[in-house]
Amino acid sequence: MENFSYSRPATLRDATAQLGKEHGRVAIIAGGTDLLGEMKDELAAPARLVPVRHLREMQGVRTVGAGLRIGAATPLVDVVENRAVQEQAPLLAMAAVKVGTPAIRNMGTIGGNICQRPRCWYYRNNYPCFKHGGSACFSALGENDFHAILEGGPSFIVHPSDTAPALVALGASARIAGPGGRERIVPLDAFFVTPRQDVRRENVLQPDEILVELQVPNAPAGSRATYVKEMVRETWNFALCSVAAMVTLSNGVVSDVRIVMGGVAPVPYRALKAEAAIRGQRLTETTAAAAGAAAVEGARPLAKNGYKVPLTQATVKRALLSLA
Amino acid sequence: MAQQVTGQAGQPGGALNVVGRRGPNIDAIDRVTGQAKYTADIELPGMLTARILRSPHAHARVVRIDTSKAEALGGVLSVITYRDAPKVMIWGSRQYVLNDRVRFAGEAVAAVAAVDADTAARALKLISVEYEPLPFVLDPEAALAAGAPQLFEDGNLEGQPRVVNRGDIEQGLKESDHVIARTYRCPTMWSGSLEPHAVVAQWENDRVTLWCSTQSPFRVHANMVAQLGLPDSHIRIIASYVGGGFGTKSAPHVDETIAALLARKARRPVSLRYSREEEILDSNTRFEVKMYIRMGVKKDMTLHALDIRAFINQGAYHTRLGGLGNHATHLYNVPHLRTVQNRVHTNVPNTGPTRGVGDPQECFGLDSAIDEIAVEMGWDPMAFRLKNIKRNGDPIPRAAGGAEDGRLVTQALDRCIEAGASRIEWTRRNQAPNTAQAGPIRRGMGMACTERTGGGGLSGAQVKVFLDGSVIVFYSSTDIGTGSRTTLSMIAAEVLGIPLKSFRTVAGDTEAAPWDGGSQGNRTLQGTGRAVEAAARDALRQILAGAAPLLKATPEELELVGGSIRVKTETARTMTLQQVMERRGRSVVGDGSIAQGQQGTDVERTSAAHFVELDVDTETGKVTVIKYVSVHDVGRPINVTIVENQIEGGTIQGLALTRSEEMRFDPRNGRTLNANFLDLMPPTMMDFDPRAIEAVIIPNEGLAGPFGGKGLGENPCHPGMAAVANAIYNATGIRLREVPFTRGAILRALNDQRPAASRTA
């Protein structure tokens, strides 16, 4: 690990003032569960770390109006155990509890979880890939068992977060602070970027910006939700595929639905075709299977990840059926 | 099995007070409270921290290496390269500790000792190495092809192919009523332990002490004698507490010598601790095996011909402890047999023995083929095995080889199979795949058999009885989590008649204890255990001789029971052991050094049958073990709890091989891409419900081990891959001939099986 300076900002404004315009030179640290690993593996070598966990705006869960405000530096365990989250946005609690291990959920934060870097073996082994500023995706012609089947190219990473699909499904927004007290609110479905939009980054955050808070509308009254995560082993694993599904039934018919998938695309992937397929339908084996098939429409698997197509199909189907 | 044992043989069949019971490990509290000192806990005054610079190339020549900047860095006390390293190959390997040519990505190129880890890491970056990359090869068959990159001057084949012939294989296949030809493959897999390798080296003049995380202190000792060119009395190896080994610590590696060289150069003690990544890249891995199997049967259900052509990927340097086990030669009767093992060097990281060595791989090939041919013939695979397994009195090779010059004794495999079938209710098994189903879930059953030798060779131990009547057992094999401190103490307690609570152990110390072959290959109980028994008998003899005049009797008239010495025929004439020892005024040391080996024609083996019932989710590819029954012949169990733990642990390790743990190499540069626990994905406690695993011990009594015990440790991880593959077939009709059985492998196979029109990907 390279040497770095550590400067504790007194306020959010102090924090943004320290960031500068260059990606990677200054790093924001909250739980550090991803960043410190990257620094030890020399994937990241920031000259300065700016801690944000102590900043009041970035801590804790509050109910504001018909929604939740969750500080980006709130530990995942606090999201999981928070009563308001469990009652107003249970899908988020279900997804957050699937992250890593208890140790990681104690240290890791929700903001860090949605901003974590890819788990691609080539990226993590410091190959000169797109993510490291290079001009190739080594997975495309290499070991790609765990890579994208949807929206891939030119990089084929998958978005590793468990909470991101849930937040997208809930229609959450990100409150982002920039220098000089500037702020912007970005809906999460516009927060994540595909490799075609920006091959080096996974979201819209600029180097001098901080994700301060997640604004999560309450789940619609009467809605039901589930988060299903398929893994190689039962714990401490990123998703082979995951599905955050939320439906509202009116007279037994799906009147509103959100289906967002993790682990299959470079971004949390909203399966609009699957939503369209199930909207207005009763939740049956047949309709859920049709939605599953629609969810992977357009999938273009690589040499070794074709299994993710039937796996994702089945996972979407089962997630929906579990809500019937 | 006849054997040479100094001291008396055990007394199987006699009344036993300690042996055969259940009980916790005697060191359990020390381990869980942190009082047990592992190598990484050793702190010495002035101790330096070492780090190793490793090659990024799978195959390269070191053209130039410049360490001057690293040496000039403040806090760096020694730097070594191939120029400092002896031109002596590591025990069991073709590797020099540091060399000017590297043969796998991750091989050590230079090493640094500095005042702390950060300084050492900075120094590594200041070493400049110019490499000339060479062509590399990762596949063992490709490595034997004409024009393949050559790792060594004498080529990539290690020695000659190992060939075993019995009968006439081609004739046997011709005579068979049905023949199958199949290919099976186990890739290079991680199979290591939680504690990475660690060494502390300390010199005093020209003597060196090495605290090591090793299973085999005297193998490390022999290597250090050779590497350092010192008399054997100048080297002391201490491996007191070891955090698992599973074979990866059964042979010396580069780490011990590097630490010793750095410490000598720096004139300070040096600590070298591997990171997890280093542990995966540079200890040893489970070697890849590709098997081409032809098998022929007669209509009368007899196995008639078996041909195995195997390519064993030895990795870069490993020479000694590779290859298949003895399933083909020793498990089933087959008149026409040929096995050919090509042990091949490639540019993958060092392989070596890991739990079971080549047995799990061979078992996967052979017991999958047994299942396949039985299915094709319409036979129950269990009945087919029962018809063909070697039973007591059957001819069997006395050594590794084809000639059946011995006769099998104390075998209990038939009873293992019958007990397992009954526990799992084999009669419930599907008659054909896909018959037991509920929605997408298919349930099936499979089984596999295994066997192994129980170990032996040269062993030694001492038993010291103190004036207070307490005892220390000194031995130089180790307790790598197998409970040997407890088991060996129980053996001595049984012999001596001294309560187990009076026992302590000093394990793994080459200076404190006599020579011993180490803890690998099922041998600690069977070898060291017999040595402890002999040492305890020697101590008992001395104690009784000392007590005889005090009790006015001859030693033969005395016995030591429950910590007291008494006259057998007049038990009121008694003294406590403590009284006798205090009157004697000096401690008693019993010595037990023994040699065991195959003598005569009686051949003893240790065997097992495993049965599994599992569910395959045909939509997600997920396999869930419903019930797993592991039935073992262990002779007489010394500590039933420890034996059951060994069986359960080994079973889970075998199951792990079915799930993940494959090492993946980048074909473009030969580097390992997943050398960490997150990406190798070894299963956790969440993956296999221990309540689903039933460890069953078949009552038996062996000949070679103490009190009728047989070595056990390796066997429980052999049959998992074959049993699970057979059960997946029985559930779904898909036959997986390559491990691990990932979601991808299962979903692909299921998809291939469906009619083309309904395929999804």
PDB file of all heavy atoms in Angstrom, chain A residues 170-193:
ATOM      1  N   LEU A 170     -37.072   0.545  -5.802  1.00  0.00           N
ATOM      2  CA  LEU A 170     -37.863   1.414  -4.922  1.00  0.00           C
ATOM      3  C   LEU A 170     -37.981   2.830  -5.476  1.00  0.00           C
ATOM      4  O   LEU A 170     -38.671   3.675  -4.897  1.00  0.00           O
ATOM      5  CB  LEU A 170     -37.229   1.454  -3.527  1.00  0.00           C
ATOM      6  CG  LEU A 170     -37.447   0.198  -2.665  1.00  0.00           C
ATOM      7  CD1 LEU A 170     -36.398   0.103  -1.567  1.00  0.00           C
ATOM      8  CD2 LEU A 170     -38.859   0.203  -2.071  1.00  0.00           C
ATOM      9  N   GLY A 171     -37.282   3.124  -6.556  1.00  0.00           N
ATOM     10  CA  GLY A 171     -37.340   4.467  -7.132  1.00  0.00           C
ATOM     11  C   GLY A 171     -36.559   5.489  -6.329  1.00  0.00           C
ATOM     12  O   GLY A 171     -36.914   6.680  -6.277  1.00  0.00           O
ATOM     13  N   ALA A 172     -35.463   5.045  -5.708  1.00  0.00           N
ATOM     14  CA  ALA A 172     -34.676   5.938  -4.865  1.00  0.00           C
ATOM     15  C   ALA A 172     -33.881   6.932  -5.702  1.00  0.00           C
ATOM     16  O   ALA A 172     -33.647   6.724  -6.898  1.00  0.00           O
ATOM     17  CB  ALA A 172     -33.735   5.112  -3.998  1.00  0.00           C
ATOM     18  N   SER A 173     -33.460   8.022  -5.028  1.00  0.00           N
ATOM     19  CA  SER A 173     -32.599   9.025  -5.654  1.00  0.00           C
ATOM     20  C   SER A 173     -31.376   9.242  -4.794  1.00  0.00           C
ATOM     21  O   SER A 173     -31.386   8.992  -3.585  1.00  0.00           O
ATOM     22  CB  SER A 173     -33.334  10.359  -5.798  1.00  0.00           C
ATOM     23  OG  SER A 173     -34.457  10.205  -6.634  1.00  0.00           O
ATOM     24  N   ALA A 174     -30.334   9.744  -5.441  1.00  0.00           N
ATOM     25  CA  ALA A 174     -29.100  10.047  -4.734  1.00  0.00           C
ATOM     26  C   ALA A 174     -28.985  11.549  -4.547  1.00  0.00           C
ATOM     27  O   ALA A 174     -29.158  12.307  -5.504  1.00  0.00           O
ATOM     28  CB  ALA A 174     -27.910   9.532  -5.538  1.00  0.00           C
ATOM     29  N   ARG A 175     -28.696  11.954  -3.314  1.00  0.00           N
ATOM     30  CA  ARG A 175     -28.385  13.359  -3.085  1.00  0.00           C
ATOM     31  C   ARG A 175     -26.872  13.485  -3.102  1.00  0.00           C
ATOM     32  O   ARG A 175     -26.174  12.808  -2.342  1.00  0.00           O
ATOM     33  CB  ARG A 175     -28.958  13.817  -1.740  1.00  0.00           C
ATOM     34  CG  ARG A 175     -28.768  15.295  -1.474  1.00  0.00           C
ATOM     35  CD  ARG A 175     -29.350  15.681  -0.108  1.00  0.00           C
ATOM     36  NE  ARG A 175     -28.475  16.620   0.554  1.00  0.00           N
ATOM     37  CZ  ARG A 175     -28.244  16.654   1.850  1.00  0.00           C
ATOM     38  NH1 ARG A 175     -28.821  15.766   2.654  1.00  0.00           N
ATOM     39  NH2 ARG A 175     -27.438  17.544   2.369  1.00  0.00           N
ATOM     40  N   ILE A 176     -26.391  14.336  -4.001  1.00  0.00           N
ATOM     41  CA  ILE A 176     -24.960  14.433  -4.252  1.00  0.00           C
ATOM     42  C   ILE A 176     -24.501  15.850  -3.935  1.00  0.00           C
ATOM     43  O   ILE A 176     -25.108  16.823  -4.392  1.00  0.00           O
ATOM     44  CB  ILE A 176     -24.651  14.093  -5.734  1.00  0.00           C
ATOM     45  CG1 ILE A 176     -25.044  12.630  -6.020  1.00  0.00           C
ATOM     46  CG2 ILE A 176     -23.186  14.333  -6.065  1.00  0.00           C
ATOM     47  CD1 ILE A 176     -25.049  12.269  -7.490  1.00  0.00           C
ATOM     48  N   ALA A 177     -23.420  15.937  -3.145  1.00  0.00           N
ATOM     49  CA  ALA A 177     -22.869  17.255  -2.813  1.00  0.00           C
ATOM     50  C   ALA A 177     -21.625  17.509  -3.641  1.00  0.00           C
ATOM     51  O   ALA A 177     -20.775  16.627  -3.779  1.00  0.00           O
ATOM     52  CB  ALA A 177     -22.533  17.323  -1.328  1.00  0.00           C
ATOM     53  N   GLY A 178     -21.523  18.720  -4.179  1.00  0.00           N
ATOM     54  CA  GLY A 178     -20.331  19.132  -4.906  1.00  0.00           C
ATOM     55  C   GLY A 178     -19.641  20.263  -4.164  1.00  0.00           C
ATOM     56  O   GLY A 178     -20.067  20.640  -3.069  1.00  0.00           O
ATOM     57  N   PRO A 179     -18.586  20.781  -4.751  1.00  0.00           N
ATOM     58  CA  PRO A 179     -17.843  21.841  -4.072  1.00  0.00           C
ATOM     59  C   PRO A 179     -18.701  23.103  -3.895  1.00  0.00           C
ATOM     60  O   PRO A 179     -19.629  23.352  -4.670  1.00  0.00           O
ATOM     61  CB  PRO A 179     -16.661  22.109  -4.996  1.00  0.00           C
ATOM     62  CG  PRO A 179     -16.920  21.370  -6.255  1.00  0.00           C
ATOM     63  CD  PRO A 179     -18.040  20.424  -6.056  1.00  0.00           C
ATOM     64  N   GLY A 180     -18.395  23.852  -2.878  1.00  0.00           N
ATOM     65  CA  GLY A 180     -19.045  25.142  -2.656  1.00  0.00           C
ATOM     66  C   GLY A 180     -20.496  25.025  -2.255  1.00  0.00           C
ATOM     67  O   GLY A 180     -21.282  25.942  -2.484  1.00  0.00           O
ATOM     68  N   GLY A 181     -20.870  23.892  -1.691  1.00  0.00           N
ATOM     69  CA  GLY A 181     -22.241  23.735  -1.232  1.00  0.00           C
ATOM     70  C   GLY A 181     -23.222  23.400  -2.341  1.00  0.00           C
ATOM     71  O   GLY A 181     -24.424  23.323  -2.126  1.00  0.00           O
ATOM     72  N   ARG A 182     -22.724  23.199  -3.560  1.00  0.00           N
ATOM     73  CA  ARG A 182     -23.595  22.826  -4.667  1.00  0.00           C
ATOM     74  C   ARG A 182     -24.164  21.430  -4.409  1.00  0.00           C
ATOM     75  O   ARG A 182     -23.482  20.572  -3.853  1.00  0.00           O
ATOM     76  CB  ARG A 182     -22.764  22.833  -5.958  1.00  0.00           C
ATOM     77  CG  ARG A 182     -23.538  22.833  -7.235  1.00  0.00           C
ATOM     78  CD  ARG A 182     -22.701  23.430  -8.400  1.00  0.00           C
ATOM     79  NE  ARG A 182     -21.309  22.977  -8.419  1.00  0.00           N
ATOM     80  CZ  ARG A 182     -20.888  21.799  -8.879  1.00  0.00           C
ATOM     81  NH1 ARG A 182     -21.757  20.912  -9.323  1.00  0.00           N
ATOM     82  NH2 ARG A 182     -19.607  21.505  -8.889  1.00  0.00           N
ATOM     83  N   GLU A 183     -25.410  21.210  -4.794  1.00  0.00           N
ATOM     84  CA  GLU A 183     -26.022  19.894  -4.602  1.00  0.00           C
ATOM     85  C   GLU A 183     -26.831  19.523  -5.820  1.00  0.00           C
ATOM     86  O   GLU A 183     -27.339  20.391  -6.530  1.00  0.00           O
ATOM     87  CB  GLU A 183     -26.973  19.926  -3.401  1.00  0.00           C
ATOM     88  CG  GLU A 183     -26.265  19.739  -2.095  1.00  0.00           C
ATOM     89  CD  GLU A 183     -27.224  19.326  -0.972  1.00  0.00           C
ATOM     90  OE1 GLU A 183     -28.408  19.065  -1.236  1.00  0.00           O
ATOM     91  OE2 GLU A 183     -26.738  19.271   0.146  1.00  0.00           O
ATOM     92  N   ARG A 184     -26.931  18.226  -6.066  1.00  0.00           N
ATOM     93  CA  ARG A 184     -27.872  17.769  -7.092  1.00  0.00           C
ATOM     94  C   ARG A 184     -28.503  16.467  -6.634  1.00  0.00           C
ATOM     95  O   ARG A 184     -27.940  15.728  -5.831  1.00  0.00           O
ATOM     96  CB  ARG A 184     -27.186  17.604  -8.456  1.00  0.00           C
ATOM     97  CG  ARG A 184     -25.994  16.656  -8.471  1.00  0.00           C
ATOM     98  CD  ARG A 184     -25.468  16.516  -9.906  1.00  0.00           C
ATOM     99  NE  ARG A 184     -24.306  15.635  -9.954  1.00  0.00           N
ATOM    100  CZ  ARG A 184     -24.046  14.800 -10.954  1.00  0.00           C
ATOM    101  NH1 ARG A 184     -24.872  14.733 -11.992  1.00  0.00           N
ATOM    102  NH2 ARG A 184     -22.974  14.052 -10.937  1.00  0.00           N
ATOM    103  N   ILE A 185     -29.722  16.252  -7.158  1.00  0.00           N
ATOM    104  CA  ILE A 185     -30.454  15.020  -6.851  1.00  0.00           C
ATOM    105  C   ILE A 185     -30.526  14.224  -8.148  1.00  0.00           C
ATOM    106  O   ILE A 185     -30.987  14.745  -9.175  1.00  0.00           O
ATOM    107  CB  ILE A 185     -31.889  15.320  -6.379  1.00  0.00           C
ATOM    108  CG1 ILE A 185     -31.895  16.331  -5.215  1.00  0.00           C
ATOM    109  CG2 ILE A 185     -32.631  14.031  -6.015  1.00  0.00           C
ATOM    110  CD1 ILE A 185     -31.549  15.784  -3.868  1.00  0.00           C
ATOM    111  N   VAL A 186     -30.054  12.986  -8.107  1.00  0.00           N
ATOM    112  CA  VAL A 186     -30.061  12.151  -9.316  1.00  0.00           C
ATOM    113  C   VAL A 186     -30.865  10.878  -9.019  1.00  0.00           C
ATOM    114  O   VAL A 186     -30.540  10.145  -8.083  1.00  0.00           O
ATOM    115  CB  VAL A 186     -28.619  11.751  -9.728  1.00  0.00           C
ATOM    116  CG1 VAL A 186     -28.633  10.873 -10.965  1.00  0.00           C
ATOM    117  CG2 VAL A 186     -27.774  13.000  -9.951  1.00  0.00           C
ATOM    118  N   PRO A 187     -31.915  10.627  -9.792  1.00  0.00           N
ATOM    119  CA  PRO A 187     -32.628   9.349  -9.616  1.00  0.00           C
ATOM    120  C   PRO A 187     -31.647   8.197  -9.853  1.00  0.00           C
ATOM    121  O   PRO A 187     -30.795   8.289 -10.737  1.00  0.00           O
ATOM    122  CB  PRO A 187     -33.694   9.367 -10.722  1.00  0.00           C
ATOM    123  CG  PRO A 187     -33.736  10.775 -11.217  1.00  0.00           C
ATOM    124  CD  PRO A 187     -32.432  11.419 -10.915  1.00  0.00           C
ATOM    125  N   LEU A 188     -31.772   7.131  -9.048  1.00  0.00           N
ATOM    126  CA  LEU A 188     -30.758   6.079  -9.145  1.00  0.00           C
ATOM    127  C   LEU A 188     -30.717   5.420 -10.513  1.00  0.00           C
ATOM    128  O   LEU A 188     -29.674   4.935 -10.931  1.00  0.00           O
ATOM    129  CB  LEU A 188     -30.970   5.018  -8.066  1.00  0.00           C
ATOM    130  CG  LEU A 188     -30.320   5.297  -6.715  1.00  0.00           C
ATOM    131  CD1 LEU A 188     -30.233   4.002  -5.909  1.00  0.00           C
ATOM    132  CD2 LEU A 188     -28.952   5.930  -6.815  1.00  0.00           C
ATOM    133  N   ASP A 189     -31.846   5.385 -11.225  1.00  0.00           N
ATOM    134  CA  ASP A 189     -31.759   4.745 -12.541  1.00  0.00           C
ATOM    135  C   ASP A 189     -30.963   5.588 -13.534  1.00  0.00           C
ATOM    136  O   ASP A 189     -30.589   5.098 -14.597  1.00  0.00           O
ATOM    137  CB  ASP A 189     -33.118   4.266 -13.090  1.00  0.00           C
ATOM    138  CG  ASP A 189     -34.158   5.361 -13.087  1.00  0.00           C
ATOM    139  OD1 ASP A 189     -33.769   6.533 -12.904  1.00  0.00           O
ATOM    140  OD2 ASP A 189     -35.351   5.033 -13.252  1.00  0.00           O
ATOM    141  N   ALA A 190     -30.647   6.830 -13.135  1.00  0.00           N
ATOM    142  CA  ALA A 190     -29.721   7.622 -13.951  1.00  0.00           C
ATOM    143  C   ALA A 190     -28.356   7.759 -13.280  1.00  0.00           C
ATOM    144  O   ALA A 190     -27.442   8.360 -13.832  1.00  0.00           O
ATOM    145  CB  ALA A 190     -30.314   9.019 -14.196  1.00  0.00           C
ATOM    146  N   PHE A 191     -28.233   7.215 -12.082  1.00  0.00           N
ATOM    147  CA  PHE A 191     -26.982   7.336 -11.313  1.00  0.00           C
ATOM    148  C   PHE A 191     -25.919   6.372 -11.856  1.00  0.00           C
ATOM    149  O   PHE A 191     -24.742   6.713 -11.970  1.00  0.00           O
ATOM    150  CB  PHE A 191     -27.287   7.023  -9.846  1.00  0.00           C
ATOM    151  CG  PHE A 191     -26.088   7.052  -8.930  1.00  0.00           C
ATOM    152  CD1 PHE A 191     -25.597   8.259  -8.423  1.00  0.00           C
ATOM    153  CD2 PHE A 191     -25.455   5.870  -8.544  1.00  0.00           C
ATOM    154  CE1 PHE A 191     -24.498   8.274  -7.553  1.00  0.00           C
ATOM    155  CE2 PHE A 191     -24.371   5.887  -7.680  1.00  0.00           C
ATOM    156  CZ  PHE A 191     -23.887   7.095  -7.185  1.00  0.00           C
ATOM    157  N   PHE A 192     -26.355   5.165 -12.202  1.00  0.00           N
ATOM    158  CA  PHE A 192     -25.413   4.156 -12.690  1.00  0.00           C
ATOM    159  C   PHE A 192     -25.231   4.321 -14.195  1.00  0.00           C
ATOM    160  O   PHE A 192     -26.194   4.604 -14.909  1.00  0.00           O
ATOM    161  CB  PHE A 192     -25.937   2.755 -12.374  1.00  0.00           C
ATOM    162  CG  PHE A 192     -26.086   2.537 -10.891  1.00  0.00           C
ATOM    163  CD1 PHE A 192     -27.339   2.607 -10.288  1.00  0.00           C
ATOM    164  CD2 PHE A 192     -24.978   2.301 -10.087  1.00  0.00           C
ATOM    165  CE1 PHE A 192     -27.480   2.425  -8.925  1.00  0.00           C
ATOM    166  CE2 PHE A 192     -25.113   2.121  -8.717  1.00  0.00           C
ATOM    167  CZ  PHE A 192     -26.370   2.190  -8.128  1.00  0.00           C
ATOM    168  N   VAL A 193     -24.011   4.129 -14.663  1.00  0.00           N
ATOM    169  CA  VAL A 193     -23.754   4.317 -16.092  1.00  0.00           C
ATOM    170  C   VAL A 193     -23.214   3.028 -16.710  1.00  0.00           C
ATOM    171  O   VAL A 193     -22.453   2.295 -16.079  1.00  0.00           O
ATOM    172  CB  VAL A 193     -22.768   5.478 -16.360  1.00  0.00           C
ATOM    173  CG1 VAL A 193     -23.365   6.795 -15.896  1.00  0.00           C
ATOM    174  CG2 VAL A 193     -21.417   5.239 -15.707  1.00  0.00           C
TER     175      VAL A 193
END
